[in-house]
């Protein structure tokens, strides 16, 4: 792995280490040619010769390049440095939604719904391109604070386990393999991972909406394994029983996202339009803040360490207008 001052790929001068995950590290760097700030994600050399980790790492960069949208972190370059594969992408300033949901300073509900509108807009474009993310969760939603406008911008990150809806997926060919985050996967993802389509992303969005508005998951279980069993065999907790004070429109969206596959909300376009309607309705319930997140042991997100500003400053930034 590089050291401070090293130049990665002959172009990106390393400034600081931002964080680390199971397969690699993320570094703050400067483009030596343009002076622009970038982030460089490097795959640990130990995984470089392993087909599956390398495929996942390069897939993330490929998807980000294939879909041009301001809600996806822009990829500038892909290459190798001292035997390690790297991806250079735009430097983000802020925190993951996972961090924000667990912060003492509570995010306004109106801002949270506006962030979900932005997520739905990104899903509209990725689904049109035939790409299913398959790992939507708060840790993969980065809330970037724009320096120029002081507004919050949501960035969808980590397409490492995404798939083309029409492609045979090499990441799922091994017996017993499972990719995704257990608390957020759809029932069909658990039972038949190869059959996953865009509707699984809508399920995961429903889980995120439920989590943000209630502080917990729609399927309560003490560990990930039992969470998967609950998702397959039990109905989700009814949002109406937990948060009857929420606007009817928002509760209906959560219900429809968490329905069985064939009766689930129809598309990311419908999700976006209905969330926009919730914001435009100016329901008084949107003026409250999100409830405290229920404590959870062993939670750790690599993106949570990429926080140049405090969560307090994020929650004080202006929300989107729609």
């Amino acid at each position: 792995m590089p050291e401070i001052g090293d130049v990665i790929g002959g172009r990106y001068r390393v400034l600081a280490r931002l964080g680390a995950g199971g397969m690699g590290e993320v570094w703050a760097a400067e483009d030596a040619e343009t002076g622009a700030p970038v982030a460089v994600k490097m795959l640990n050399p130990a995984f470089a010769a392993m087909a599956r980790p390398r495929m996942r790492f390069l897939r993330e960069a490929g998807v980000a390049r294939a879909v041009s949208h301001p809600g996806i972190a822009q990829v500038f370059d892909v290459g190798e440095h001292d035997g390690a594969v790297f991806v250079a992408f735009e430097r983000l300033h802020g925190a993951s939604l996972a961090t924000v949901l667990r912060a003492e300073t509570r995010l306004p509900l109106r801002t949270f719904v506006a962030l979900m509108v932005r997520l739905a807009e990104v899903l509209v474009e990725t689904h049109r391109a035939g790409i299913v993310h398959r790992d939507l969760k708060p840790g993969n939603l980065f809330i970037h604070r724009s320096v120029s406008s002081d507004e919050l911008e949501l960035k969808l990150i980590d397409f490492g386990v995404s798939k083309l809806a029409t492609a045979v997926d090499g990441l799922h060919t091994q017996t017993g393999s499972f990719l995704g985050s257990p608390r957020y996967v759809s029932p069909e993802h658990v039972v038949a991972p190869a059959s996953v389509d865009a509707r699984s992303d809508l399920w995961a969005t429903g889980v995120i909406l439920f989590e943000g508005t209630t502080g917990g998951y729609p399927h309560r279980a003490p560990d990930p394994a039992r969470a998967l069993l609950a998702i397959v065999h039990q109905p989700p907790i009814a949002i109406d029983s937990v948060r009857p004070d929420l606007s009817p429109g928002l509760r209906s969206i959560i219900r429809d996202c968490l329905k069985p596959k064939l009766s689930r909300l129809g598309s990311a376009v419908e999700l976006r339009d209905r969330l926009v309607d919730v914001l435009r309705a100016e329901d008084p319930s949107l003026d409250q803040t999100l409830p405290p997140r229920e404590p959870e042991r062993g939670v750790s997100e690599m993106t949570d360490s990429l926080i140049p500003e405090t969560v307090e400053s994020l929650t004080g930034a202006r929300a989107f207008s729609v």
Side-chain angles (χ1 to χ4, degrees), residues 106-286:
R106 310 308 307 157
L107 193 69
L109 177 57
R110 189 182 306 277
T111 300
F112 175 68
V113 175
L115 289 168
M116 293 299 98
V117 171
R118 294 300 184 246
L119 171 59
E121 290 175 345
V122 176
L123 293 179
V124 168
E125 296 305 315
T126 56
H127 291 172
R128 279 176 178 166
I131 296 167
V132 184
H133 189 281
R134 293 198 301 190
D135 196 21
L136 291 182
K137 59 181 179 179
N140 284 339
L141 302 178
F142 199 95
I143 304 177
H144 171 69
R145 184 180 182 183
S146 172
V147 176
S148 59
S149 66
D150 197 41
E151 288 193 348
L152 301 181
E153 300 174 353
L154 183 136
K155 301 279 186 176
L156 177 56
I157 61 176
D158 196 352
F159 284 85
V161 299
S162 63
K163 66 172 284 189
L164 286 171
T166 57
V168 175
D169 184 10
L171 289 177
H172 272 299
T173 56
Q174 294 189 6
T175 301
S177 65
F178 179 84
L179 293 172
S181 299
R183 304 285 185 180
Y184 301 91
V185 295
S186 63
E188 64 270 19
H189 191 153
V190 181
V191 176
S195 70
V196 164
D197 60 21
R199 287 169 288 187
S200 280
D201 284 347
L202 301 180
W203 170 282
T205 304
V207 177
I208 296 169
L209 284 165
F210 189 101
E211 181 181 4
T213 55
T214 70
Y217 300 114
H219 290 89
R220 305 294 172 88
D223 56 68
R226 278 179 278 192
L228 293 176
L229 290 173
I231 288 169
V232 173
H233 297 292
Q234 299 174 12
I237 297 170
I239 186 65
D240 302 271
S241 67
V242 185
R243 291 299 308 272
D245 58 311
L246 292 179
S247 72
L250 184 54
R251 283 184 281 127
S252 71
I253 292 170
I254 296 172
R255 284 196 305 269
D256 290 348
C257 283
L258 297 177
K259 286 182 177 179
K261 183 176 181 178
L262 295 181
S263 55
R264 196 171 301 156
L265 187 143
S267 68
V269 172
E270 181 183 349
L271 173 63
R272 177 200 62 196
D273 292 347
R274 289 173 62 178
L275 285 170
V276 168
D277 287 343
V278 168
L279 286 179
R280 288 178 173 166
E282 292 295 332
D283 190 285
S285 67
L286 293 176

Side-chain angles (χ1 to χ4, degrees), residues 65-80:
R65 280 182 155 181
V67 182
S68 178
H69 190 278
I72 297 175
Q74 184 179 1
V75 171
F76 301 127
D77 195 7
V78 180
E80 290 195 26

Side-chain angles (χ1 to χ4, degrees), residues 17-28:
R17 183 174 180 271
L18 293 175
M23 294 197 304
E25 298 180 348
V26 179
W27 297 80

Side-chain angles (χ1 to χ4, degrees), residues 55-68:
M55 180 190 301
R56 175 173 175 173
F57 191 85
L58 294 176
R59 176 183 301 212
E60 178 179 359
V63 171
R65 280 182 155 181
V67 182
S68 178

